[in-house]
Amino acid sequence: MNDVLPAETSRWQEVERVARQVFALYGYREIRTPVVEPAALFARGVGELTDIVTKEMYVFEDKGEDLLALRPEGTAGVVRSFIEHGAYVEGPQKWFYGGPMFRRERPQKGRYRQFHQIGCEAFGIAEPALDVEQIAMVSDLFGRLGVQTELRVNSVGDGNCRPAYLEELRGYLTANRDALCGDCKDRTERNPLRVLDCKVESCQPVLQKAPSLQDKLCPDCRAHFDAVRVGLDALGVAYRVDARLVRGLDYYVRTAFEFSSDALGSQSAVAGGGRYDKLVETLGGPPTPGIGFALGEERLVMILQELEKSGRRPAMTPPGPEVFLVSADPKGAAEALRICSQLRKAGIACDFDPRGGKLKTQFKQAERVGARQALVLGDAEVTSRQAKLKDMATRAETPVSLDELVAKLARS
Ligand code: HAM
């Protein structure tokens, strides 16, 4: 779990600003749900047998003896809220959210136990055009941030075609059991689809020859996936079909997608999502199709940082104050406080050091906080109402009347 220090927050704010801008353009509105939900919500929603639920959730009993969990992802809580507030009666909804999620994973670069997601969930539309629009939106968002990603898409089928495929896959994996790693052996029974996701080198020969769900899709899933592809092509969104893209959450049907970046090392997924047309029903609501995704904010911020380091993106330094008031004596300090108050009322960022002290030290501080200009205030300046504005970069000084300072800075 990380602290995000002030030197880093401007990148976070930029990601959030651009995300909000893009979501508004596509008609998504913000929802905020609690960080804590009943643990059972995730077992039913995300899946009893997923790694997230079996191994990674922070679960605790509260004083009322309810079993609660820190949310490991956002979708289940948003769906709960959608149902609880009867939002389905109003027709289709497009919502976005952001905030901390918690998974007790083995930490490594790009993988943390508290991490932040920004995500979207769209309810009430089963048509593939929505899948296309949402995937294109994520691509648009990354494009605006100057981040290059690879998009992979797949169809994970549905209740019609997946069960027969899972049986076939399980049979194949069981026949090749000896060549699989321990995790894959375990998953063959519990969650065979996830075996396709295994990255262990020694499993690859078996996995490459495994039956592909792409070949077993029922006509409706086939037609849906083909329409998604046609739509993405029409919008010029580049992608690769990856028949082994299965995702780690059980609620997906049909479309699954993931955006990854090679700037990230082994944890390369920067966003992932897909359709979940049965989830609302599973969690007690009326049958309502849905599709969503979430992006990992830490990972996106890491990419921005890489781009800055290699000069492909301007460095993000938060803007410093327009002016730093340096006080030469107690009279100057009192005046500095008064002028700062006036400047701030006029919307001009400024600062001063109430401790006063050596002028040189105060100038150093002005430099450290990134002030554009400095102005020395002492008894002489307060009495004459005249002072000098010093440009911190060029060292050039301009005389200024203290009574006109606010107006002058407001104009510049
Ligand atoms: P997910 O693939 O589990 O999907 O997570 C989405 C993104 O969150 C990942 O691509 C990754 O960038 C980031 N992420 C996940 N775990 C960590 C971690 N431990 N540390 C840092 N970043 C992480 C979901 O959570 C689904 N709820 C997405 C969704 C929404 N599907 C439909 N609607």
Side-chain angles (χ1 to χ4, degrees), residues 73 75 103 105 110 112 117 121 247 251-252 269-270 292-293 296:
E73 58 103 54
T75 311
R103 295 184 193 173
E105 296 193 74
Y112 311 105
Q117 285 186 343
E121 312 295 348
R247 314 258 314 120
Y251 46 61
Y252 293 114
V270 61
F293 76 92

Side-chain angles (χ1 to χ4, degrees), residues 200-229:
V200 174
E201 204 51 51
S202 57
C203 293
Q204 300 312 310
V206 174
L207 298 185
Q208 268 150 20
K209 293 203 192 95
S212 163
L213 183 50
Q214 277 289 327
D215 302 331
K216 316 282 161 170
L217 295 178
C218 60
D220 286 350
C221 286
R222 179 83 263 157
H224 188 97
F225 190 60
D226 289 346
V228 170
R229 295 190 57 181

